[in-house]
Amino acid sequence: MDSRTLVASTVVSSLCAFQLFFHVLSPRLSARLCPGFSTLSPEKKVEWNSRVVSTCHSLVVGLLGLYVFLFDEATILDPLWGDSSVAKVSIAIASGYLLSDLLTIVLYWKVIGDKYFVVHHCTSLYAFSLILQEEVLEYIGNFRLLAELSSPFVNQRWFLEALKYPRFSKANVINGILMTVMFFAVRVAPMPFFYAFIYSVLGTEAYARLGLQVQSSWVLTCVVLDVMNIMWMIKISKGCLRVISLLRQEKARPSLQNGKLD
């Protein structure tokens, strides 16, 4: 199977698989494994199923991206032009998911419609389509997919809220801290190193061969996505700090009631 056929079949298979998961598998599995699912409103069930699919996608492409980042010699040795079937497949799976999620958002816009997610998905799809069509920057694309490793924690926060877990429950607090740390670690902390790498390849022969469209798209799409990541990081950090502050206040009350101040 040639690479273009592999990519096309993977994108289509991914799209169909994630739609099947959303409409059939997630509702059935959630009803069996989580008693609270049946008590949710129809609108909440739509978002629940959407987030279950998002979590599965994030784990698959996040781990594939991690494999490429650490072990895929062809792309590690040549981040701009290295060619790898595994790297292509991970990006193709992500592309299929983005198409599936966009379709779901359009069909259920009144429930889960979000203009920021539309911008995010369209920007990512454009970047991934260039990578797969031109067969360049496969390592870079998989490096960007590492950001998906934070999504399961973001989705888990919503699940706990939907199931009406108390804000200060151990599950909520632990997940909130992990979500903040992981979001920063895979989406924000790599930014300086990523843009430093772009600067380091400017003017090289390999960079020149990319052509103006790929060069400009590489930077612009990443800037758009990273601005959104910073916006989300600020929002998450404020929420985490608010919870920590409230927890300290709750702990201080018993001490004050006992006439003590630690």
Side-chain angles (χ1 to χ4, degrees):
M1 184 184 295
D2 65 89
S3 62
R4 293 195 180 277
T5 303
L6 174 65
V7 166
S9 61
T10 303
V11 171
V12 173
S13 298
S14 174
L15 167 60
C16 295
F18 285 120
Q19 280 294 301
L20 177 66
F21 209 112
F22 174 81
H23 290 287
V24 180
L25 297 179
S26 176
R28 294 183 180 181
L29 289 174
S30 297
R32 287 187 179 183
L33 300 176
C34 182
F37 176 77
S38 59
T39 66
L40 300 177
S41 67
E43 292 77 14
K44 287 281 188 181
K45 287 180 178 178
V46 168
E47 186 161 2
W48 177 289
N49 293 326
S50 173
R51 288 181 179 274
V52 169
V53 174
S54 168
T55 298
C56 293
H57 158 261
S58 299
L59 291 173
V60 171
V61 300
L63 292 175
L64 282 173
L66 187 61
Y67 171 82
V68 172
F69 177 66
L70 295 175
F71 304 113
D72 194 78
E73 292 186 7
T75 55
I76 291 173
L77 293 174
D78 189 350
L80 272 58
W81 288 93
D83 188 34
S84 162
S85 295
V86 177
K88 282 188 174 72
V89 165
S90 64
I91 294 173
I93 292 173
S95 299
Y97 165 76
L98 291 170
L99 290 170
S100 172
D101 202 44
L102 276 175
L103 176 60
T104 303
I105 289 173
V106 171
L107 291 176
Y108 298 96
W109 181 262
K110 291 184 179 180
V111 180
I112 57 174
D114 189 317
K115 61 184 179 181
Y116 289 108
F117 276 106
V118 172
V119 172
H120 173 275
H121 286 13
C122 289
T123 303
S124 300
L125 272 172
Y126 172 70
F128 289 159
S129 66
L130 271 183
I131 291 173
L132 295 174
Q133 182 179 351
E134 303 296 331
E135 298 185 326
V136 296
L137 303 179
E138 294 174 16
Y139 184 79
I140 303 302
N142 277 271
F143 177 78
R144 299 293 305 193
L145 285 177
L146 294 178
E148 290 300 321
L149 292 172
S150 65
S151 295
F153 299 97
V154 176
N155 291 330
Q156 185 61 36
R157 177 183 176 277
W158 186 91
F159 292 141
L160 292 171
E161 183 179 324
L163 294 173
K164 294 181 170 47
Y165 272 64
R167 179 182 293 184
F168 300 124
S169 66
K170 183 178 291 187
N172 244 326
V173 172
I174 292 175
N175 181 75
I177 294 172
L178 289 175
M179 177 182 68
T180 305
V181 171
M182 184 61 80
F183 199 97
F184 177 79
V186 298
R187 292 181 183 257
V188 178
M191 287 182 191
F193 305 99
F194 178 74
Y195 290 102
F197 171 76
I198 294 178
Y199 181 78
S200 72
V201 298
L202 292 177
T204 63
E205 187 269 339
Y207 180 80
R209 285 167 51 209
L210 292 175
L212 181 60
Q213 182 184 10
V214 174
Q215 292 170 356
S216 56
S217 298
W218 178 10
V219 175
L220 290 175
T221 55
C222 289
V223 167
V224 170
L225 295 174
D226 284 337
V227 167
M228 297 179 74
N229 283 331
I230 290 173
M231 290 169 55
W232 288 329
M233 182 75 251
I234 292 172
K235 185 176 180 180
I236 289 172
S237 298
K238 286 182 177 179
C240 186
L241 291 173
R242 191 181 304 118
V243 169
I244 292 174
S245 176
L246 290 172
L247 276 174
R248 287 178 176 174
Q249 292 176 22
E250 289 292 322
K251 288 182 178 180
R253 285 177 186 173
S255 298
L256 290 172
Q257 291 173 354
N258 293 332
K260 299 178 181 179
L261 183 60
D262 295 332

